[in-house]
Amino acid sequence: MNLTVVGLGLIGGSLAKDLRSKCIAKHIIGTDKNIDHCKKAQELGIIDSYLPLEEAVKDADLVIVSVPVNATLKVLPQVLDAISDKTVVMDVGSTKSEICKAVENHSKRSNYVANHPIAGTENSGPTAAIDGLFDKKTTIICEEEKSDPKAVLLIKVIHEAIGMHVIHMGAEEHDRHIAYVSHLSHVISYVLGKTVLEIEKDETNIFELAGSGFASTARLAKSSPEMWTPIFLQNKKSLLKSVDEYLKNLQDFRELIANNDADSLFTEIGKINDIRRVLEGLELKRAKGH
Amino acid sequence: MNLTVVGLGLIGGSLAKDLRSKCIAKHIIGTDKNIDHCKKAQELGIIDSYLPLEEAVKDADLVIVSVPVNATLKVLPQVLDAISDKTVVMDVGSTKSEICKAVENHSKRSNYVANHPIAGTENSGPTAAIDGLFDKKTTIICEEEKSDPKAVLLIKVIHEAIGMHVIHMGAEEHDRHIAYVSHLSHVISYVLGKTVLEIEKDETNIFELAGSGFASTARLAKSSPEMWTPIFLQNKKSLLKSVDEYLKNLQDFRELIANNDADSLFTEIGKINDIRRVLEGLELKRAKGH
């Protein structure tokens, strides 16, 4: 299969690596508005060659659009304009409603499969691409009824081949759920980073005291503004709902501490520990291949 | 050296393991109000035997008090009452002001070294004890001027022997700093756990979509209420200050999203990315052994 990857960052690069190692992609063309990313991806063997967008996609069997979600709104219609009828196109964006809306009336809408592999790290660019990033993770295909069934089948098969569990969902349902289990985590991690960086100005060397707990909670605060600014804005409605619930819960938790309410605090934390069941159940399920 | 560990949980158990493997502790006695922890710790070879508190500490060279910080307020004076003049006592609590205050007028105050090793996991009990937990981590000795200098030297030496970097600080300064880099992280992680568990009631299978980002940010929400309820309450003043700053920052961040202010959001996240410098600088420094 001839694969073209539009956007040679962490996700596009890692998909190219895995699809090559699984013998799914034979020849890989890359394209990126940043020419340094093209050169670096070629140097790393992630892509075989690079070309301008229209040329890169016109003879592809599969095009993966892996650019920030604001850029996807512009690039995805361009890709659909430029491809042949036989080409299948997928994206990897962390939002789905606005992206699906941007191409809903496109004449090649059925060539496109709306897709979101839930995998990543806090790093970006082609050097951040890693082997096996998607193994035992989940990908979500949205609005499958608007895509050609054979295109959906292809997208399903290649994700399963790289170790993923494929689920299906409406675009709005996707955005509502992902607001809670991904976007909210990023917001609270960014705000933790900000709060501690601010106090660092007055309290020198405060980070000397940071342990693995802080590192874990603040890890997502390293994520790039190029990727996350447009995600937050495209998923504004659901994200604000989750942030407002979070703010209310944090206020309540604060009051338990302020009131020295040890019993309620103990009970509350005990209930929250249920998150262990959820996270470990999930790990177990994934380890068993679902 | 004869070591007695009061409280056979993650920290006490892991210290016993490392001090034995570094040939610092030859004979280790354990004591714990939970008899099952005593039996399990002996079965795991963490301790050689177990005894009631007074008997366990009376002939020890070193006593490590590793119980939740509310229990420390009660147990630490009991230990100081029961020991001989030659015995050195240290604790491992995540708060220092109230613990130091609880023994400030004790006749054996100078035998005690106030200490906080910044290491841990979200697990608890003797089965959670692991080898090498403290390697390349920091421990903080507080109010060293109130301890016998030879006791301080001993505590410094044994922590360095297990790979730790030792720093010194006032008890109040410790609590102020730790509120930001540890206790606040726990609060925001608990509240994330709560918010997503609540939404799970309406949105079944939402955790199917949880990725490594959520797992990282919610990891601390698995931590036990026995340990964390008293920490939050003992460090209430500093913790509430940090929570209030966090709340304000989260409100501000929310408004940037609500106002579609892409430019400010981008700039803000870019500044927060500075946390990468901090966390990676810290890792590098620790890898080099400071």
Side-chain angles (χ1 to χ4, degrees):
Chain A
M1 185 169 75
N2 291 320
L3 171 67
T4 294
V5 180
V6 182
L8 299 165
L10 164 70
I11 298 294
S14 299
L15 276 170
K17 283 185 153 206
D18 276 5
L19 292 174
R20 194 194 292 278
S21 76
K22 297 291 178 190
C23 302
I24 291 170
K26 298 288 182 193
H27 185 77
I28 307 181
I29 298 175
T31 183
D32 196 299
K33 67 172 189 166
N34 182 341
I35 186 74
D36 292 337
H37 281 188
C38 293
K39 288 176 183 166
K40 180 52 86 177
Q42 190 177 34
E43 189 188 312
L44 294 169
I46 294 172
I47 57 172
D48 298 302
S49 57
Y50 53 89
L51 286 170
L53 182 72
E54 277 76 14
E55 288 172 64
V57 304
K58 71 181 174 49
D59 296 320
D61 295 308
L62 173 66
V63 178
I64 295 174
V65 176
S66 46
V67 295
V69 294
N70 55 337
T72 304
L73 297 182
K74 213 183 99 192
V75 170
L76 184 57
Q78 288 173 343
V79 169
L80 293 177
D81 289 344
I83 57 169
S84 73
D85 279 344
K86 70 168 177 86
T87 305
V88 174
V89 179
M90 64 169 244
D91 78 319
V92 299
S94 189
T95 58
K96 283 279 139 314
S97 300
E98 283 206 34
I99 292 172
C100 286
K101 210 180 294 167
V103 294
E104 63 182 345
N105 298 316
H106 198 285
S107 62
K108 296 213 191 79
R109 172 64 185 86
S110 67
N111 294 55
Y112 163 64
V113 180
N115 177 57
H116 174 207
I118 305 172
T121 72
E122 68 278 24
N123 303 316
S124 46
T127 54
I130 47 179
D131 295 309
L133 177 65
F134 307 96
D135 191 41
K136 299 195 175 52
K137 309 283 173 59
T138 297
T139 199
I140 309 170
I141 293 177
C142 294
E143 294 197 346
E144 61 171 322
E145 70 285 1
K146 296 191 181 166
S147 308
D148 182 316
K150 291 183 295 300
V152 174
L153 180 63
L154 177 75
I155 298 309
K156 186 171 148 67
V157 163
I158 67 170
H159 283 92
E160 287 178 346
I162 61 173
M164 299 193 89
H165 176 55
V166 182
I167 62 177
H168 299 270
M169 204 172 259
E172 294 210 356
E173 186 188 6
H174 166 279
D175 287 4
R176 205 167 63 237
H177 286 196
I178 285 292
Y180 283 89
V181 292
S182 168
H183 303 170
L184 177 62
S185 296
H186 282 80
V187 168
I188 71 160
S189 190
Y190 280 131
V191 175
L192 176 67
K194 180 180 168 74
T195 306
V196 184
L197 282 168
E198 274 176 359
I199 202 74
E200 191 202 16
K201 288 172 200 154
D202 305 317
E203 310 276 5
T204 326
N205 299 330
I206 190 168
F207 284 107
E208 282 279 327
L209 314 188
S212 57
F214 177 77
S216 171
T217 322
R219 178 172 72 83
L220 299 181
K222 301 182 201 166
S223 308
S224 82
E226 287 81 1
M227 176 169 170
W228 284 93
T229 303
I231 289 174
F232 291 159
L233 296 182
Q234 280 191 23
N235 202 19
K236 186 170 95 167
K237 197 181 124 201
S238 293
L239 180 56
L240 288 183
K241 185 169 174 288
S242 73
V243 169
D244 289 342
E245 286 168 17
Y246 185 90
L247 275 164
K248 190 195 163 299
N249 286 332
L250 182 53
Q251 283 285 5
D252 291 348
F253 201 92
R254 183 206 181 281
E255 290 316 301
L256 296 181
I257 299 171
N259 297 333
N260 288 313
D261 191 347
D263 290 346
S264 303
L265 209 49
F266 193 98
T267 307
E268 185 74 1
I269 292 175
K271 281 190 216 158
I272 294 169
N273 281 171
D274 192 32
I275 204 78
R276 182 184 287 273
R277 163 191 67 82
V278 169
L279 291 175
E280 289 174 6
L282 205 63
E283 256 177 50
L284 201 70
K285 204 170 156 189
R286 286 180 183 162
K288 285 183 186 163
H290 309 271
Chain B
M1 184 169 79
N2 291 319
L3 170 66
T4 294
V5 179
V6 182
L8 299 165
L10 164 72
I11 298 294
S14 299
L15 275 169
K17 283 184 152 210
D18 275 5
L19 292 173
R20 194 195 292 277
S21 76
K22 296 291 178 188
C23 301
I24 291 170
K26 298 288 184 195
H27 186 78
I28 307 180
I29 298 175
T31 183
D32 196 299
K33 66 169 190 170
N34 181 340
I35 187 73
D36 290 337
H37 281 189
C38 294
K39 288 177 183 166
K40 180 52 85 176
Q42 190 178 32
E43 188 188 313
L44 294 170
I46 293 171
I47 58 172
D48 298 303
S49 59
Y50 53 88
L51 286 170
L53 182 73
E54 278 75 11
E55 287 172 66
V57 303
K58 71 181 175 47
D59 296 319
D61 296 309
L62 173 66
V63 178
I64 295 174
V65 177
S66 45
V67 295
V69 295
N70 54 336
T72 304
L73 296 181
K74 212 183 99 193
V75 169
L76 183 57
Q78 289 174 345
V79 169
L80 292 177
D81 290 344
I83 57 168
S84 75
D85 278 343
K86 70 166 179 87
T87 305
V88 175
V89 180
M90 64 169 243
D91 79 318
V92 300
S94 188
T95 58
K96 282 281 137 315
S97 300
E98 282 205 35
I99 291 171
C100 285
K101 211 179 292 166
V103 293
E104 65 182 345
N105 298 317
H106 197 285
S107 61
K108 295 211 190 79
R109 171 63 185 85
S110 68
N111 293 54
Y112 163 63
V113 180
N115 177 56
H116 175 206
I118 305 173
T121 73
E122 67 277 24
N123 303 317
S124 47
T127 54
I130 47 177
D131 296 308
L133 178 65
F134 306 97
D135 190 41
K136 298 193 177 57
K137 308 284 173 62
T138 297
T139 199
I140 309 170
I141 293 177
C142 293
E143 292 197 348
E144 62 171 320
E145 69 285 358
K146 296 191 179 166
S147 307
D148 183 319
K150 291 184 294 301
V152 174
L153 182 63
L154 177 75
I155 297 307
K156 188 172 148 65
V157 163
I158 66 169
H159 282 91
E160 287 178 345
I162 60 172
M164 299 193 89
H165 176 55
V166 181
I167 62 176
H168 299 270
M169 207 171 259
E172 294 209 356
E173 187 188 4
H174 166 278
D175 287 5
R176 206 167 63 237
H177 286 196
I178 285 294
Y180 283 88
V181 292
S182 168
H183 303 171
L184 177 62
S185 296
H186 282 80
V187 169
I188 70 160
S189 191
Y190 281 132
V191 176
L192 176 66
K194 180 181 167 72
T195 307
V196 183
L197 283 168
E198 276 176 359
I199 202 74
E200 191 201 17
K201 288 171 200 154
D202 304 317
E203 309 277 4
T204 326
N205 299 330
I206 191 168
F207 284 107
E208 282 277 330
L209 313 189
S212 58
F214 178 77
S216 173
T217 321
R219 178 171 72 83
L220 298 180
K222 300 182 203 166
S223 308
S224 82
E226 288 81 1
M227 175 167 170
W228 284 94
T229 302
I231 290 174
F232 291 158
L233 296 181
Q234 280 191 24
N235 203 18
K236 184 169 95 167
K237 198 181 122 202
S238 293
L239 179 56
L240 289 183
K241 187 170 172 289
S242 72
V243 170
D244 289 342
E245 286 167 17
Y246 185 90
L247 276 163
K248 190 194 163 300
N249 286 332
L250 182 52
Q251 283 283 5
D252 291 348
F253 201 92
R254 183 207 181 282
E255 290 315 302
L256 295 182
I257 298 170
N259 297 331
N260 287 314
D261 190 346
D263 290 346
S264 302
L265 208 49
F266 192 99
T267 307
E268 186 74 2
I269 293 174
K271 282 191 214 156
I272 294 169
N273 281 171
D274 193 33
I275 206 78
R276 184 184 286 272
R277 164 192 66 84
V278 169
L279 291 175
E280 289 174 6
L282 205 63
E283 255 177 49
L284 201 69
K285 206 172 154 189
R286 285 179 181 161
K288 284 182 183 163
H290 306 272

